[in-house]
Amino acid sequence: MNEAIVTENLTKVFGNFTAVNELNLRIEHGVCVGFLGPNGAGKTTTIKILTSMLRATNGNAYIEGVDVGINPKEALGRVGSVVETPEFYPYLTPVETLTYLGKIRGIASNQLLERIEHVIGEVKLQDWKDKRIGKFSKGMKQRLAIAQALLHEPPILILDEPTTGLDPRGMVEVREIIKLLKTEGRTIFMSSHLLFEVQEVCDKVAMINKGQLLTYDEIEKLANLAEVVKVEVQILSPITPEQVKAIQDFNSVKNLVVYQPHLFVVELEGREPEKAELLANIQNVEGISVTSFRAVGTALENLYMSMISDSI
Amino acid sequence: MVQGESQELALFQGQTTVPSDFQQYLSVVRYETLKYLRSKRLLAILIILALIIGLILSIPPALGHDYPDDALEFAGLFISFAGILVILCFTFFGADAIVSEFQQKTGYLLFPNPLKRIVILFGKFTASFLASMLVIIIYYGVVVISIGAVNHSVPGEVGLSLLFCVMYLLSGLSIAYLLSSLMKGTTGANVLTFFLFFLILPIIESVFTFAGVKPSLSITFASGIIYFILVVPYPKDIVEEFTMGGDTIEIHQFYPEVALSLLVMFFYLIIAFLLTYFIFERKEMK
């Protein structure tokens, strides 16, 4: 087994609810994979099984060929993870927490302080490194969570919504850290609700719904599969019901939503030629003067919406 | 694995080697003990301890009495409170040790590490024991200093009482950990542990005693040896008969036997610990 992370028929059942349903996934070394899916799709459950916090009902999860369920100590030795926003021991400072985790992970004492200074600098917690964590905000705890995941320079990172709880600046900083880690050849498996974040940071996407894998491929290839685009149109005069009806009847138009009297969004089946045709057709509708016409949402968002809605 | 991949992986190899279970155990013990040393609970229990000692030492002179001439009798004044102190110790330092990792979500930090659950359990248990022992040693230290100062000798029974106290502490902690692994909330675990030892088990013992059955298998009954070892000669079970309205009523006074009580405590220590391990190993961070 050469892959960094593998799940084979991974299944997790809670009572009558199947959270993960025979999930088969093979994550190669050195790629950054976005793990996407709606709430309750099974993303966090999968990540919790991979990090030995849940036991699989059936199937197996492997990290570098080691079964997490059978030998978690060996499997997790080269993994750094952030699962949800962990709580820290309030009586410890960030330096003490990282020292504790560093010792558990076997970082040599002579390297540990240097590593702690480095990761604390990376997540910009220098001013707080000797303060007890008890009164830290959620964002600060998330920064510390990322610091502990990077502490032992793991070749594999498993991150569950790593930018959750961060302010916009913090989100950007974390994304930059992830991009840097990518260039260092690490394998990154991260779940996120932020599709633009995944598109910006990741090389590949694994999409799941109802615990089953819908697709796993490179983002560029998936983006080309997107067959639905959204176009936001602004017009000079308020749109009338007749004009709405006329636009809805055009070829390729799947849906139209009026957000404001002067603003509506058209869901279009097709690509650039269909967009051009739509613009020309709207301009021909009596009484409409287009002031703005632009595609909204990313190709990944559009693909996500179509795949998720198809699987419901 | 292709050559390029192995080169990339080599960048990270050798930088860290996961330590042995024993080295990890020492790290867990160190930081879990630090938790208790920095907690308000330790402060609270030390205040209670100071109050008990203060009352024992101040009340006799305040009432115009001398301290007992007999060293064992004087030691008994202190050690009659040792059981309560031990209950407070395993409530404060053991009752929420497991459940807090799940309820307060600190498990999200600890469990994804290359660390066996059994190592976490042993580390936490040792830390709870050390924090409790700090309190017990201070208490018995004061007992020894006080009876040494007043009676100029320290009977060996005080040492035996300390040993029994340690055994009670270990078995009680083990039960507290079992409750902690079963409960879903820290408050419930703390309350249940305290009332189990302070109220529920003593009530059950009373019912057994009233029915004329010696509650030898009750851990709180067994803990009586901590105090009774100071009584010379060691007390024996008594049955007194009273006649009320033509009926004869038997009143039993039972005393725990030392060897059997130690065996009972050892049994609870092992069984509760094994059950705790079984549950904790399978407990999930849902």
Side-chain angles (χ1 to χ4, degrees):
Chain A
M1 198 176 286
N2 292 330
E3 291 86 353
I5 299 170
V6 172
T7 67
E8 282 180 352
N9 298 320
L10 194 69
T11 302
K12 181 66 185 175
V13 179
F14 297 107
N16 296 326
F17 175 66
T18 303
V20 179
N21 191 359
E22 299 192 349
L23 183 70
N24 289 294
L25 194 57
R26 289 178 175 269
I27 311 283
E28 308 85 343
H29 283 285
V31 294
C32 179
V33 177
F35 195 34
L36 298 178
N39 288 334
K43 302 187 298 294
T44 299
T45 302
T46 304
I47 284 178
K48 283 182 177 177
I49 294 171
L50 284 168
T51 50
S52 188
M53 286 197 271
L54 292 177
R55 284 169 173 266
T57 309
N58 275 312
N60 302 84
Y62 299 93
I63 291 178
E64 293 191 325
V66 181
D67 192 322
V68 182
I70 293 171
N71 192 350
K73 181 170 179 176
E74 191 187 337
L76 296 174
R78 286 156 50 81
V79 175
S81 59
V82 176
V83 186
E84 300 197 353
T85 301
E87 278 302 325
F88 291 84
Y89 299 109
Y91 54 90
L92 296 180
T93 66
V95 169
E96 288 168 341
T97 301
L98 295 174
T99 306
Y100 180 19
L101 297 175
K103 283 180 182 294
I104 283 174
R105 293 170 192 169
I107 303 176
S109 298
N110 58 347
Q111 294 174 2
L112 187 53
L113 270 181
E114 191 187 319
R115 280 299 303 158
I116 289 171
E117 287 296 330
H118 178 76
V119 293
I120 279 184
E122 269 199 299
V123 298
K124 299 192 170 46
L125 278 178
Q126 295 98 325
D127 294 343
W128 298 86
K129 66 178 184 176
D130 294 318
K131 304 263 193 307
R132 291 204 189 162
I133 301 167
K135 289 180 181 169
F136 278 22
S137 68
K138 191 180 177 193
M140 289 161 74
K141 287 177 186 169
Q142 189 69 4
R143 284 170 186 266
L144 187 55
I146 289 162
Q148 63 79 28
L150 304 178
L151 183 65
H152 53 310
E153 297 185 278
I156 299 171
L157 282 153
I158 298 175
L159 309 171
D160 183 21
E161 300 183 26
T163 55
T164 297
L166 296 174
D167 57 25
R169 189 178 149 192
M171 286 181 168
V172 172
E173 286 167 0
V174 168
R175 271 181 228 135
E176 292 307 316
I177 291 171
I178 295 171
K179 284 181 194 169
L180 179 69
L181 294 169
K182 252 176 66 176
T183 64
E184 292 170 354
R186 294 171 208 265
T187 308
I188 301 165
F189 184 57
M190 58 176 269
S191 75
S192 177
H193 282 301
L194 305 175
L195 300 181
F196 70 92
E197 180 175 272
V198 169
Q199 189 150 4
E200 183 186 334
V201 171
C202 298
D203 309 308
K204 296 180 111 178
V205 162
M207 218 177 273
I208 67 166
N209 195 21
K210 294 180 178 176
Q212 290 187 311
L213 188 68
L214 301 179
T215 186
Y216 174 56
D217 211 333
E218 289 169 18
I219 287 185
E220 278 183 22
K221 285 185 187 169
L222 290 174
N224 288 334
L225 291 176
E227 289 176 350
V228 177
V229 290
K230 282 183 185 175
V231 180
E232 183 188 272
V233 185
Q234 280 191 311
I235 53 176
L236 200 57
S237 310
I239 194 164
T240 64
E242 293 76 25
Q243 289 168 337
V244 170
K245 175 85 174 59
I247 296 168
Q248 280 174 331
D249 287 343
F250 290 151
N251 276 342
S252 315
V253 170
K254 275 187 77 179
N255 194 17
L256 186 153
V257 180
V258 178
Y259 286 102
Q260 291 168 17
H262 298 269
L263 176 79
F264 59 92
V265 171
V266 180
E267 257 182 51
L268 187 69
E269 221 164 352
R271 293 164 194 256
E272 296 307 304
E274 285 78 13
K275 263 165 51 182
E277 188 188 342
L278 176 70
L279 176 60
N281 286 339
I282 291 175
Q283 283 174 317
N284 286 335
V285 175
E286 197 178 334
I288 284 188
S289 299
V290 176
T291 58
S292 165
F293 183 92
R294 66 184 185 95
V296 289
T298 62
L300 189 59
E301 273 175 352
N302 295 328
L303 177 74
Y304 176 87
M305 291 310 294
S306 67
M307 292 201 84
I308 296 300
S309 59
D310 286 350
S311 73
I312 287 172
Chain B
M1 191 181 292
V2 296
Q3 197 177 0
E5 282 175 346
S6 64
Q7 281 172 348
E8 281 174 354
L9 284 177
L11 288 171
F12 313 105
Q13 280 169 350
Q15 290 184 353
T16 61
T17 308
V18 177
S20 68
D21 290 343
F22 184 70
Q23 286 172 305
Q24 290 181 320
Y25 159 78
L26 293 179
S27 296
V28 176
V29 171
R30 180 179 171 182
Y31 285 92
E32 286 290 326
T33 307
L34 191 60
K35 170 171 89 177
Y36 295 125
L37 294 181
R38 286 182 178 174
S39 69
K40 288 177 183 163
R41 293 177 182 195
L42 180 65
L43 186 66
I45 207 164
L46 289 176
I47 290 170
I48 293 168
L49 186 143
L51 278 173
I52 293 172
I53 293 167
L55 287 171
I56 292 170
L57 291 177
S58 63
I59 287 177
L63 295 175
H65 297 294
D66 291 332
Y67 292 122
D69 292 332
D70 180 46
L72 283 174
E73 193 183 334
F74 191 28
L77 273 181
F78 286 94
I79 290 170
S80 58
F81 291 97
I84 296 171
L85 208 58
V86 175
I87 292 172
L88 287 176
C89 282
F90 48 67
T91 303
F92 280 12
F93 302 132
D96 63 358
I98 302 286
V99 68
S100 65
E101 293 289 345
F102 295 88
Q103 194 198 17
Q104 292 166 9
K105 293 190 172 182
T106 46
Y108 283 122
L109 183 71
L110 198 57
F111 298 155
N113 281 289
L115 182 64
K116 292 175 184 167
R117 291 269 176 111
I118 186 73
V119 174
I120 298 174
L121 179 60
F122 265 114
K124 280 177 169 287
F125 191 87
T126 307
S128 299
F129 176 70
L130 290 176
S132 303
M133 276 307 290
L134 175 69
V135 176
I136 303 296
I137 292 291
I138 290 174
Y139 191 65
Y140 272 82
V142 171
V143 175
V144 168
I145 291 167
S146 301
I147 57 178
V150 173
N151 308 104
H152 309 294
S153 70
V154 180
E157 284 85 351
V158 176
L160 282 175
S161 171
L162 174 61
L163 281 178
F164 298 163
C165 197
V166 171
M167 194 62 204
Y168 182 42
L169 174 66
L170 283 168
S171 53
L173 266 180
S174 197
I175 294 170
Y177 266 63
L178 175 59
L179 295 176
S180 189
S181 66
L182 288 168
M183 298 295 285
K184 288 190 173 173
T186 52
T187 310
N190 282 317
V191 170
L192 180 60
T193 303
F194 183 75
F195 282 105
L196 178 70
F197 286 91
F198 203 71
L199 205 63
I200 299 170
L201 288 175
I203 288 172
I204 293 170
E205 280 164 31
S206 300
V207 173
F208 270 71
T209 304
F210 187 75
V213 179
K214 189 172 181 175
S216 298
L217 298 181
S218 165
I219 187 169
T220 45
F221 178 77
S223 74
I225 60 172
I226 296 169
Y227 173 77
F228 291 122
I229 195 67
L230 301 174
V231 179
V232 181
Y234 195 87
K236 290 183 176 169
D237 298 345
I238 301 166
V239 184
E240 289 183 62
E241 290 185 352
F242 294 92
T243 307
M244 283 178 73
D247 292 331
T248 303
I249 299 171
E250 285 185 347
I251 303 290
H252 295 266
Q253 181 70 49
F254 294 121
Y255 296 95
E257 293 156 38
V258 172
L260 180 62
S261 297
L262 287 173
L263 201 65
V264 166
M265 288 188 206
F266 183 73
F267 174 81
Y268 279 109
L269 166 65
I270 299 299
I271 297 299
F273 195 86
L274 287 176
L275 285 172
T276 304
Y277 169 64
F278 183 81
I279 296 164
F280 182 48
E281 181 71 19
R282 283 154 185 78
K283 198 157 181 166
E284 298 184 317
M285 283 294 295
K286 288 179 183 167

